[in-house]
Amino acid sequence: MSKVLVFGHQNPDTDTITSALVYADLKQKLGQDVEAVRLGEVSEETQFALDAFGVEAPRLVEKVASEVDQVILVDHNERQQSAVDIDEVQVLEVIDHHRIANFQTEAPLYYRAEPVGCTATILRKLYKENGVEISREMAGLMVSAIVSDTLLFKSPTCTEQDIEAGKDLATIAGIDLDTYGLDLLKAGANMSEATVDQILTMDAKEFTMGEHVVKIAQVNVVDANDVLGRKTEVLSSMASEVQEKGYGLFVLAVTDILSNDSVLLSTGEHESAVETAFGVKVDDHEALLEGVVSRKKQIVPPLTSALS
Amino acid sequence: MSKVLVFGHQNPDTDTITSALVYADLKQKLGQDVEAVRLGEVSEETQFALDAFGVEAPRLVEKVASEVDQVILVDHNERQQSAVDIDEVQVLEVIDHHRIANFQTEAPLYYRAEPVGCTATILRKLYKENGVEISREMAGLMVSAIVSDTLLFKSPTCTEQDIEAGKDLATIAGIDLDTYGLDLLKAGANMSEATVDQILTMDAKEFTMGEHVVKIAQVNVVDANDVLGRKTEVLSSMASEVQEKGYGLFVLAVTDILSNDSVLLSTGEHESAVETAFGVKVDDHEALLEGVVSRKKQIVPPLTSALS
């Protein structure tokens, strides 16, 4: 069998990058010819995790069909979040923790999705189910993904399974979970040096909601003013993209990892959906969502309802 | 949490009925409030399996949304094969072994699909992963599903995992696999009492091939003469349906579960595609396909190529 590429979503976050590396490690140990790749730049948070455990980032690719016939998706399934030529290859497997949408196959496949906070929590089970030992490096990458996706267990997406997995993996990785976890989050939450373009692309996803395509970007901050101090510039850049790509709505969630609140900046024809979805007043394209940290659980579902 | 219904596809076969019962059993043992239901009549083969292990058929329902808000799907995911009001409820989980299509959720879910021959093979793993013992009754239902879906391991859809699961479950169920398996298949393969209408509808699916819509029905037999003895009547009924529905081709595969060959009856404007697809001569609308038992793996792909 020829080589299979394993990759996560565009605008990769820590869970997507490490899940590709970790699942490729498991598959290789099971004797399969797979390679982890990535569809975008490595964030500072992810680089912190890779450096902490001495692992190289996966190779950057733009397309996949010229290289392989078959792929494995981790941490995503919706085709608009995947490789641009995803329709030209066969998806052999999916390991994911998101909703299923815009996904279809011609043949049966291995699809493993669980409603947990992080793909790494599922990957840890797959090592156990396959009787493969988890190395210190892979444990370190997985616990980093869990800390990142659950904001150190504070996100409502976090489940008992994520907590149990995080603690076990921290032991294998030989780290103090709280100390390492906060350092990791802080490494990704310093927006003072980030350009507006970086803020809007580092963790941005498109969603189809009713008739509309909606873009939702999110950044973690320790000081919201790093972003809100440049609000005019940020909104202007968002508005240009709405024009160019035809989004019905573009929102940026600025999530404070210490207070666990988010400020939403929004623009687009259907901006009123933010008021409907969250029961808040949008004032000058800005709204405070108290206790909201999870795009998947707290932002996407109410916006989808409001727009469907 | 309120009650959750568990069910398989319309026109239920043995895997669909038993998978609903078996997964409901596992969920109940894990303390969850679930009930297995079914979307259609119980076949003679399925009734044989239920009687053999003293299990009642699930309750028949037509719709689900008036009863519950949440459901679990087994052995299918495509909405046109599911409850007619599937879009009005939340799909909490899917356990399946088919391709994924026409399926979408708003929220993350537990989705477990594996490219194996039978849903029961996956369900057996879920008992193990959850540390729940498999009762004699549930083992009997699961091995029945595996025998049915893989034609006693002879179908090309059968995997090593199905064989291993089938043998293990037969031991727990306390049956001789070959004897019981053949009795089960025979119970579903007696076509002497079936009407022509039943023969043509009990397992019939439409496929789009190239520009044409093709209908492929299949029946298992121990005595092909139960069907071929009424060939004129069967072909006349097929021809009427071709006229009425505008099919490019309508084929009925009469699959002998002892010899593992199929006789194909065909009619329609593009009947010559049968000769192209299988390299056989069609004589008076009839052709013998040696070693062909699987519609999915052995009939649909060559016909699709011939018609595209």
Side-chain angles (χ1 to χ4, degrees), chain A residues 99-100 104-105 111-113, chain B residues 99-100 104-105 111-113:
Chain A
R99 70 168 190 167
I100 298 177
Q104 166 144 344
T105 63
Y111 197 111
R112 181 75 171 258
Chain B
R99 70 168 191 166
I100 299 177
Q104 164 143 348
T105 63
Y111 198 110
R112 181 75 171 259

Side-chain angles (χ1 to χ4, degrees), chain B:
Chain B
M1 215 162 95
S2 48
K3 192 171 75 172
V4 173
L5 295 182
V6 184
F7 51 88
H9 53 77
Q10 296 174 14
N11 303 316
D13 58 7
T14 299
D15 190 26
T16 252
I17 295 280
T18 59
S19 289
L21 289 165
V22 167
Y23 198 45
D25 172 78
L26 174 57
K27 285 286 183 185
Q28 284 157 6
K29 284 176 177 156
L30 293 171
Q32 294 173 43
D33 184 13
V34 301
E35 182 193 359
V37 293
R38 63 184 160 94
L39 302 179
E41 294 308 314
V42 174
S43 73
E44 288 185 38
E45 182 193 274
T46 306
Q47 193 60 54
F48 181 93
L50 293 170
D51 291 345
F53 297 97
V55 179
E56 292 279 318
R59 180 166 59 91
L60 177 67
V61 299
E62 210 179 306
K63 296 182 172 187
V64 294
S66 58
E67 289 192 51
V68 295
D69 297 323
Q70 298 178 318
V71 302
I72 292 172
L73 307 185
V74 292
D75 196 34
H76 76 298
N77 66 85
E78 302 193 40
R79 77 167 72 87
Q80 77 278 9
Q81 299 168 1
S82 196
V84 291
D85 56 351
I86 190 68
D87 289 337
E88 296 170 39
V89 293
Q90 183 189 3
V91 178
L92 277 185
E93 300 189 24
V94 177
I95 318 292
D96 193 18
H97 67 124
H98 297 90
R99 70 168 191 166
I100 299 177
N102 302 310
F103 182 80
Q104 164 143 348
T105 63
E106 281 187 24
L109 76 165
Y110 186 91
Y111 198 110
R112 181 75 171 259
E114 303 194 19
V116 292
C118 181
T119 304
T121 301
I122 307 166
L123 293 176
R124 173 174 164 267
K125 287 189 193 180
L126 296 182
Y127 275 91
K128 288 183 189 288
E129 289 171 19
N130 285 284
V132 175
E133 203 182 336
I134 299 174
S135 68
R136 179 181 165 275
E137 289 74 20
M138 293 304 122
L141 295 186
M142 282 190 267
V143 69
S144 300
I146 294 172
V147 165
S148 170
D149 264 20
T150 68
L151 280 186
L152 203 38
F153 310 133
K154 297 225 180 73
S155 168
T157 59
C158 184
T159 68
E160 284 301 318
Q161 291 189 45
D162 299 300
I163 298 171
E164 187 201 323
K167 287 181 178 168
D168 174 55
L169 292 164
T171 306
I172 301 173
I175 55 161
D176 178 81
L177 188 47
D178 288 329
T179 310
Y180 174 80
L182 207 55
D183 286 347
L184 175 72
L185 291 178
K186 281 182 181 169
N190 178 5
M191 290 298 135
S192 61
E193 307 284 310
T195 65
V196 168
D197 189 52
Q198 285 169 333
I199 288 167
L200 291 176
T201 56
M202 65 174 61
D203 183 10
K205 290 184 182 172
E206 290 180 8
F207 300 86
T208 305
M209 298 182 179
E211 311 268 283
H212 318 287
V213 178
V214 176
K215 186 160 187 173
I216 308 179
Q218 184 171 29
V219 286
N220 291 342
V221 295
V222 279
D223 183 354
N225 205 44
D226 287 352
V227 177
L228 300 178
R230 289 179 278 170
K231 180 175 163 183
T232 312
E233 198 188 339
V234 170
L235 277 167
S236 152
S237 181
M238 289 168 69
S240 303
E241 213 180 321
V242 165
Q243 280 280 330
E244 193 186 320
K245 303 273 179 65
Y247 297 131
L249 176 66
F250 186 172
V251 302
L252 168 67
V254 181
T255 301
D256 187 318
I257 59 168
L258 301 180
S259 71
N260 297 304
D261 299 325
S262 292
V263 171
L264 232 61
L265 296 184
S266 54
T267 187
E269 193 187 341
H270 297 279
E271 204 181 345
S272 64
V274 174
E275 300 196 332
T276 320
F278 304 103
V280 294
K281 180 112 193 65
V282 174
D283 185 14
D284 188 24
H285 306 288
E286 181 176 334
L288 174 67
L289 304 186
E290 288 182 18
V292 168
V293 297
S294 167
R295 174 169 53 196
K296 183 164 65 173
K297 284 223 165 174
Q298 296 173 298
I299 298 178
V300 171
L303 266 184
T304 304
S305 296
L307 284 164
S308 295

Side-chain angles (χ1 to χ4, degrees), chain A residues 194-209:
Chain A
T195 66
V196 167
D197 189 52
Q198 284 169 333
I199 288 167
L200 292 176
T201 56
M202 66 175 60
D203 182 11
K205 290 183 182 175
E206 290 181 6
F207 300 87
T208 304
M209 299 182 178

